Structures are given as C-alpha cells and as structure tokens.
Amino acid sequence: MARYWRACGAVLMSGFLVKAVSNNGTQSEIYIEASSTTDAASKIRARGLTPLSARPGNPPRKKRPPRGAAVAASRIVRELGALTGAGLTVEQALSSLSRYVSSSLMQTVAMSLREDIRAGMSLADAFAARPEIFPPPFPQIAEAGEVAGALPAALNDLADWQERRANFDGEIQGALIYPIILLVLAFVAVSGLLVFVVPRFEQVFADMGAAPPPFAAGVFATARGLAKAAPFILVIGTGSTFLMGLWLRGLEARRSAYAFAHRLPGIGPLLRSMLAARFCRVLAVLLQNGLSAVPAFRLASASLSDDYAKMKLDEALTQVRRGASLPDQIAASGVLPPLAVEIIRVGEQTGELGKATDRLATLLENRLERGARTALHLAEPALIGFVGLIVGVIIVSILLALVSVNDIGI
C-alpha cells in the first residue's frame, strides 16, 4: 500500500489523536490526519489550539444516529440562527430553545450543547463532539461563522443547505420505494417458482423415465444449481460483507477503495460531480460568511466523507500555503471535475470566489437531481421488463413441459 501511494506521488497520511488545550483551558482529544506528529501538531496550532501530545490512533467509532437526528439538527440550527440573530448569546439561545421545544431529542441535545458552552467550548467544538447529530459540515460552518463574527447568518445558511439536502434525499427515497417493492416481490415470486413449482415438473419426467424438452431441461438444471449453491452463496456473501466491513475500518483501506472508485468509468465522473457539489456548497457558505480562502478551503475539505479526496485536497492546500495557485493545485489533485476547477479559477481572478462556488454548487446539485430522477424513471420499466422476462422464461418452460407430458401420454 505504501508503494502505491509513493507511486502516485502522494504524501502518506496517518491518523493521530492529539491532546490539545484551548485558550480558555479546556482540554480535548482531537483526531486529525497528518503525515507525522509534527505535522499533526502544526494543524492543531492552525486551529488556535495548543497541542500537548500526539500519538497514532484511529478515529473514534461513530455512534449510530438516533431516530430523527437529521430533522433535530436542522431545526436546532435554524432556531439558533433566529435567536442569536435577535441578539441572544449562544448560551441564552440554547437555554431558551431547551425550554420551549416539544421534541425530547431536541431538548436533550440543546441542554447538552448549553452545558458545553458554559464549560468554555465554542459552538463548533460542541457540534464536533456530537458527530452522530451534527456531522460535517455542521462544525466547519459554525466555526466559520464564529471566526467571522457572523454566526446567525452562517447558521441560517447551514440550515438552508441541510433542508435542501433533506428534500432531495426524501425525493430520491420516495422514488425508490416502488422499484424496491417490485424487486422484492419479483424475487419472492421467482424463488417460489424455482423452489416449489419447477422441481415438481422435473419429478414428473423422472417418474415417467422421459426426457423433458431442451428448454425446460435448462430451467430444471438452473433450479437445481441454485438450490445447491444457495447455502454457499449465503455464507460467502455474509462472510465477504463482514470482512469488507472490517477492512474498511482502516484509513488506508478506505482511501484505496475511494481511489479505485475514482478510476471506474461512469462511477468516477459521477463521484467527482457529487464531491464538487458538496465541496463548493460548503466553501461558498464559508466564504460568504467572511472566512478567507485558505481556512475556508481547509474546512470545506474536512466536510467531505471521501477519505481519498480529503487527502488529495489537503495536499493541494499544503502547496497553496507555500504560494502555489489554488486552481492549479485543485486541478492537480484530480478529485474535482474540470468545470469546477475552471469556475474556481475565474472566481479567484475576479475576487468573487464565494459567489462563483455558490453558482457552481447550485448548477451541480440541479444536474445531479435531474440525473437521479431520469435514472429512476428509466430503471422502473427496465426492472419490470427484466423481471417479466425471467418469469416468462419459467412459465414458458413449464408450459412446454405440460405439452410434452401430454404428448408422452398419447
């Protein structure tokens, strides 16, 4: 694996757990990806914290989000933005929020956030301590708002982004319900025919000592093969899934998997478009809330779930800090589409990088939505036709077998 990354010209990055202290004396242990302990300490200092110690380690295991976490996070952020915009401090806004919300989850989260704020943590750090409720880019955008002194605007922008994403996900999930139900019912129907119906006709021919028609014989052989192979397929599939899950817990393994996905035809361009939409949306929110380009770039990169893309963008950021051009380094990373690189280049030249990335994010999001809807509309008839073909083949073989039995009887 190390030889692979060196061949690609990449800097090997590892995970480190760094103990750090904030300006108010609060200690915390932060997971960060870096090339060495010195690099990890430098990245911690760039966040305004003082590193105390660093050791190799893995990120903390993610907790399973409670039911309704996405809705609760969106509402908390939206109402925090309204309350702080009305002049309340974050602590006062959380106290007010914990008193009047009806959701027990929102009340619990608001009260725990308030206790962290009282202990001296920033809102961004409080969000980061609850990744199951506030996953990236919640902490990153809150940090940008706090740094720029525009927290209410940043929280409102964050709530807008979260609601748009939730609406899109809801539309896709709703559109997938019918194909999934159809696929499950078709699987049950075909399995029932192959397991219970087809063997009975095969037994009829065996009892009569006659050979079935070639077409029916092929279906009979397929049914026998599937019945014998089903336990092995189940064991191999379950074992492979378990081993793959264990393998993907490692940082280098996830990077390898994402790097492989980036190279796949069809999937790679789609993955890069999704990355660009997410990256540019977060970057636009950060820039429009007053953050400068380099820290905004770092926070937008941290909001991505693609470990390979995060590594390549972190390398690009390192070169930018040394004086290299931002668009050139993004192009060299190879993880964003050419359109994104060109629009970022134009935005940097005109001094309107925030507006440029906002327009690009909207363009890519709309394109992805249209593409998803089109794919689903095409998938439904294709799925119906495929299932109908399989069921038709089985029924035709059974009819041929019936006709053959009658001929033998005559």
Side-chain angles (χ1 to χ4, degrees):
M1 187 59 64
R3 288 194 299 271
Y4 169 76
W5 292 117
R6 292 192 190 99
C8 293
V11 177
L12 287 173
M13 306 285 280
S14 303
F16 292 90
L17 293 172
V18 182
K19 282 188 177 181
V21 61
S22 63
N23 293 331
N24 57 27
T26 304
Q27 288 192 21
S28 59
E29 188 171 58
I30 302 170
Y31 173 79
I32 196 166
E33 295 173 9
S35 58
S36 64
T37 55
T38 303
D39 185 32
S42 298
K43 290 184 175 181
I44 290 296
R45 290 191 190 96
R47 297 187 182 185
L49 303 173
T50 302
L52 301 177
S53 64
R55 59 184 175 88
N58 295 317
R61 184 170 294 181
K62 295 181 179 179
K63 297 179 182 179
R64 185 175 182 180
R67 181 175 297 179
V71 175
S74 181
R75 283 191 58 191
I76 287 173
V77 169
R78 172 70 71 190
E79 295 178 23
L80 269 180
L83 292 169
T84 53
L88 296 180
T89 65
V90 174
E91 181 184 342
Q92 291 170 339
L94 288 169
S95 296
S96 177
L97 189 60
S98 64
R99 285 195 301 268
Y100 72 76
V101 293
S102 56
S103 167
S104 59
L105 176 60
M106 287 182 63
Q107 187 177 51
T108 301
V109 173
M111 292 174 66
S112 63
L113 288 172
R114 183 188 61 188
E115 294 306 313
D116 285 350
I117 298 299
R118 286 177 174 173
M121 292 178 67
S122 66
L123 182 62
D125 290 338
F127 281 170
R130 297 163 181 80
E132 72 280 5
I133 305 290
F134 302 103
F138 280 85
Q140 289 79 16
I141 293 179
E143 181 179 345
E146 289 175 318
V147 170
L151 184 59
L155 292 176
N156 287 328
D157 288 342
L158 177 57
D160 290 339
W161 173 82
Q162 178 69 6
E163 288 167 3
R164 280 196 302 268
R165 183 184 177 190
N167 289 337
F168 174 66
D169 290 346
E171 289 179 6
I172 298 301
Q173 290 170 5
L176 284 173
I177 289 177
Y178 175 70
I180 290 174
I181 292 175
L182 178 63
L183 189 61
V184 170
L185 293 177
F187 176 78
V188 172
V190 171
S191 299
L193 288 172
L194 291 175
V195 173
F196 299 106
V197 178
V198 171
R200 293 193 177 186
F201 282 91
E202 185 179 18
Q203 187 62 41
V204 169
F205 282 94
D207 293 341
M208 297 175 62
F215 190 75
V219 174
F220 293 164
T222 301
R224 287 196 308 272
L226 289 176
K228 292 179 180 179
F232 299 100
I233 293 174
L234 181 62
V235 171
I236 292 173
T238 303
S240 300
T241 302
F242 177 74
L243 292 175
M244 180 65 71
L246 288 179
W247 181 66
L248 289 175
R249 289 183 181 179
L251 179 60
E252 292 298 329
R254 293 197 303 273
R255 285 175 178 165
S256 298
Y258 278 117
F260 177 74
H262 277 269
R263 294 193 299 270
L264 291 176
I267 295 177
L270 176 62
L271 182 59
R272 287 190 286 274
S273 294
M274 294 173 65
L275 278 172
R278 173 72 173 266
F279 177 80
C280 290
R281 175 61 66 195
V282 177
L283 184 61
V285 172
L286 296 171
L287 291 171
Q288 290 173 349
N289 282 281
L291 210 59
S292 59
V294 171
F297 189 96
R298 174 181 67 82
L299 295 174
S301 173
S303 72
L304 300 177
S305 58
D306 185 326
D307 293 292
Y308 173 72
K310 286 170 66 175
M311 181 190 71
K312 301 298 287 184
L313 291 173
D314 282 345
E315 293 171 4
L317 179 59
T318 301
Q319 296 303 317
V320 170
R321 284 173 172 159
R322 294 173 180 171
S325 166
L326 175 63
D328 290 344
Q329 293 306 310
I330 293 177
S333 71
V335 296
L336 297 183
L339 175 63
V341 176
E342 191 59 30
I343 290 182
I344 290 174
R345 188 187 306 277
V346 172
E348 187 184 44
Q349 291 172 352
T350 60
E352 298 289 345
L353 186 57
K355 293 181 179 179
T357 51
D358 182 67
R359 288 192 294 269
L360 175 60
T362 301
L363 170 67
L364 293 174
E365 287 167 354
N366 291 338
R367 183 181 294 177
L368 288 169
E369 287 180 13
R370 289 194 300 269
R373 292 192 185 99
T374 302
L376 288 172
H377 291 157
L378 294 175
E380 288 183 15
L383 182 59
I384 292 173
F386 177 71
V387 172
L389 178 63
I390 294 177
V391 174
V393 167
I394 295 173
I395 292 176
V396 168
S397 70
I398 291 173
L399 291 175
L400 290 175
L402 288 172
V403 172
S404 178
V405 168
N406 291 333
D407 292 341
I408 293 173
I410 294 173

